[in-house]
Amino acid sequence: MLTLLEIARLLKRARITTGPVEVSPDLRGWAYDRPPVKPPAYLGLALSDFAYGYCPTGRNLYLKYVAGERPAANKTLAEGQALHAALFKAVEDFKKYAYAGAPMSPSLEGVPEDVRPKAEALYKYVASRLLGEHSYAHAARLARGRDAAAFYAAPIATQVVVDGAPLGLGYVVADGVALGAVVEFKFGPSQNVEAALAGYAMAIEAEWGVPIDYGIHVQISVNAAVEYRAVAHPLGDAARAKFLEARDEAIDIVASGRDPGAAPECPRTCPYFHICHADRSR
């Protein structure tokens, strides 16, 4: 999934269709020592708690960080975590195969019973794609060694952790980084993806001091078959400003202890739905 040639094509298409990415020097992650990138406070918030805007009012922040409420487990979250784990495990196992010849097989230990068929299907799909691309790289003589062959098939470094403290965040875990772009995999509803991708990119810029101008959003569906759609987003000033606006609002809610109240309509998949809508959660 997302081989070298596929990612290169996505980025080239984005450059052609949208033109050069314009990023003001003051909106790079490494400008963390001055506004607007410098945060109003250093609270160590999780980027995923606010950047995607899943909670219409941001009350999840109040409940988690001020009221000390714990999120409730639900099937949607469990499935998303299991599918992410299966995808990362397939990529990791492929690299063991590419470098040491270790066989690939799905490990479903700890995966909820009702999610196992999807996790196994995803693992096998990713494994098949990577092994096929690996064979192609060898057959087409694109690679002169095991390292290059592995890179052609799986150029994504997965679960990349950087310190988000310069942006007022906790540790930030990006699903992947490849060819100078940040990559996020999504199995459920996705919104505000550009703002979230900009947040990941700016955290990486703050940590590494290198520009990250694109984010790749990969929406994956696992049902009777595995299907995915990947889109490369330019992370220019607009996306970065949206992320900073969401971050500053999140910090204000937590720092002030302000309860923004429940939204009239919330997704039932929210882990705090049982608190905000106790009368409807049964």
Side-chain angles (χ1 to χ4, degrees), residues 14-234:
R15 292 188 187 101
I16 292 172
T17 57
T18 65
V21 179
E22 302 290 343
V23 181
S24 302
D26 288 344
L27 291 177
R28 289 291 190 185
W30 55 72
Y32 56 80
D33 58 344
R34 57 188 183 276
V37 178
K38 183 179 181 179
Y42 296 91
L43 303 180
L45 305 183
L47 186 152
S48 58
D49 282 340
F50 65 88
Y52 288 103
Y54 289 133
C55 180
T57 66
R59 196 181 194 215
N60 64 312
L61 294 156
Y62 169 79
L63 293 173
K64 177 179 178 178
Y65 293 100
V66 181
E69 297 285 355
R70 297 177 64 85
N74 61 51
K75 181 180 178 181
T76 301
L77 289 176
E79 181 172 305
Q81 291 170 351
L83 294 178
H84 271 94
L87 190 157
F88 296 142
K89 185 70 167 56
V91 175
E92 179 182 329
D93 286 355
F94 164 74
K95 292 179 179 177
K96 292 178 181 176
Y97 164 81
Y99 289 114
M104 296 186 68
S105 64
S107 172
L108 302 177
E109 183 178 353
V111 177
E113 194 67 34
D114 58 341
V115 186
R116 287 191 174 197
K118 287 188 175 183
E120 184 173 8
L122 178 63
Y123 181 99
K124 290 182 175 178
Y125 173 81
V126 176
S128 176
R129 282 292 311 273
L130 297 181
L131 291 172
E133 191 70 13
H134 187 253
S135 296
Y136 166 73
H138 276 297
R141 300 182 183 276
L142 296 175
R144 298 191 177 186
R146 285 180 291 186
D147 192 49
F151 180 67
Y152 265 100
I156 301 176
T158 60
Q159 295 182 288
V160 175
V161 181
V162 297
D163 185 4
L167 303 184
L169 309 175
Y171 282 95
V172 174
V173 185
D175 281 351
V177 176
L179 301 188
V182 63
V183 182
E184 282 293 295
F185 300 102
K186 288 295 176 186
F187 295 92
S190 301
Q191 57 194 44
N192 297 337
V193 293
E194 284 189 347
L197 289 167
Y200 288 109
M202 293 173 71
I204 293 172
E205 289 176 348
E207 177 91 320
W208 297 348
V210 298
I212 304 292
D213 289 345
Y214 291 90
I216 299 176
H217 170 229
V218 188
Q219 190 70 42
I220 306 174
S221 170
V222 186
N223 291 301
V226 176
E227 298 178 345
Y228 71 95
R229 180 172 184 269
V231 178
H233 296 269

Side-chain angles (χ1 to χ4, degrees), residues 55-57 59 260-266 276-277 280:
C55 180
T57 66
R59 196 181 194 215
E265 296 295 332
C266 302
C276 294
H277 301 285
R280 296 161 52 194

